[in-house]
Amino acid sequence: MISIHTLLVGQPQTATDEKGIWRSAIFRQPVAGPVALGPRGLAGDQVGDTKNHGSPDQAVCCHPLAHYAHWNEVYGLNSPEAMLGPGAVGENWTIAGADEAGCCVGDIFAVGSARVQVTAPRYPCSKQERKVRLPKFLSRTTESLRTGWYLRVLEPGTVQAGDELALLERPHATLSIHRLAAHALTSFDDDFARELLEVPELAAGWKRIVKLKLDREV
């Protein structure tokens, strides 16, 4: 069973670390009870970087719960205050029961009273490493393809932690999030890139990434 283990929302806030001052909505916090889900995301949630985030194709950011156990083991994080857990990389939904290999672009799920669709992998960014404060976290995320993924909202509704995601449609069974992330981050292939540009369900932002890489190959 695939379910929302933890639901999180946040607002942009300013933080200070050894690199200076920075601003992000990555510091999301868990919410108990029902939350409205609309075309731009969850009620009470905003993004800090509106240039790269916040489109309808990125209405919900998902991250597998199982990845946190992996990182805790890799980095030897054993104490409760040090261990990574839901929300550590700024996702909206921490997902139990699925990972990048088990979700495909175009998948449609019923969840709560809403319907959502998988659009693209999440592209790893430096703010994730800056938040968790672990060396080489960004490069290790990229190499291991533990990216998470985005959803668009096909039918607004209400969702909450514990809701099951029931798969309704899978139009592209070969286009797993894991495969797309591998293609863009570790093993670019021109023919596959051209195929992706024709997939209507793929997020427009991800198509731009693919197109830029393809143009560099020419």
Side-chain angles (χ1 to χ4, degrees):
M1 180 183 77
I2 306 172
S3 65
I4 303 174
H5 178 276
T6 307
L7 184 149
L8 308 102
V9 302
Q11 298 286 320
Q13 58 182 280
T14 301
T16 304
D17 58 18
E18 66 279 359
K19 295 181 180 179
I21 299 173
W22 59 297
R23 186 168 175 80
S24 176
I26 199 171
F27 299 93
R28 292 184 168 90
Q29 296 297 314
V31 175
V35 179
L37 176 64
R40 291 281 181 174
L42 297 162
D45 189 71
Q46 290 187 4
V47 298
D49 178 5
T50 56
K51 179 180 178 180
N52 296 303
H53 302 287
S55 75
D57 289 341
Q58 302 167 310
V60 179
C61 179
C62 299
H63 198 79
L65 177 65
H67 290 351
Y68 290 123
H70 168 82
W71 293 123
N72 289 332
E73 181 178 357
V74 167
Y75 283 99
L77 306 176
N78 300 310
S79 62
E81 64 273 12
M83 293 175 69
L84 300 185
V89 295
E91 72 271 20
N92 295 117
W93 295 354
T94 310
I95 298 293
D99 61 14
E100 291 83 358
C103 287
C104 300
V105 167
D107 282 0
I108 297 176
F109 292 93
V111 54
S113 60
R115 286 192 308 124
V116 297
Q117 184 174 52
V118 177
T119 62
R122 180 185 187 182
Y123 206 91
C125 78
S126 59
K127 289 181 180 178
Q128 294 167 259
E129 181 171 315
R130 200 165 185 179
K131 180 179 183 294
V132 300
R133 303 174 73 90
L134 294 171
K136 297 185 178 180
F137 185 80
L138 177 58
S139 62
R140 286 178 170 179
T141 295
T142 301
E143 292 163 2
S144 67
L145 304 177
R146 287 177 166 84
T147 61
W149 59 89
Y150 284 110
L151 306 172
R152 68 169 59 94
V153 177
L154 300 180
E155 185 176 311
T158 302
V159 295
Q160 62 183 325
D163 280 349
E164 179 181 352
L165 283 81
L167 182 63
L168 301 178
E169 297 180 32
R170 173 162 285 174
H172 305 291
T174 64
L175 300 184
S176 72
I177 292 297
H178 184 274
R179 184 184 179 197
L180 265 69
H183 167 255
L185 300 173
T186 64
S187 56
F188 191 81
D189 176 79
D190 290 8
D191 291 336
F192 186 51
R194 295 186 183 94
E195 178 185 341
L196 288 177
L197 294 177
E198 301 302 317
V199 176
E201 298 89 352
L202 182 62
W206 197 262
K207 286 185 178 181
R208 286 194 293 271
I209 293 171
V210 171
K211 183 68 164 55
L212 284 171
K213 289 180 176 289
L214 187 59
D215 289 345
R216 293 192 190 112
E217 296 288 313
V218 176

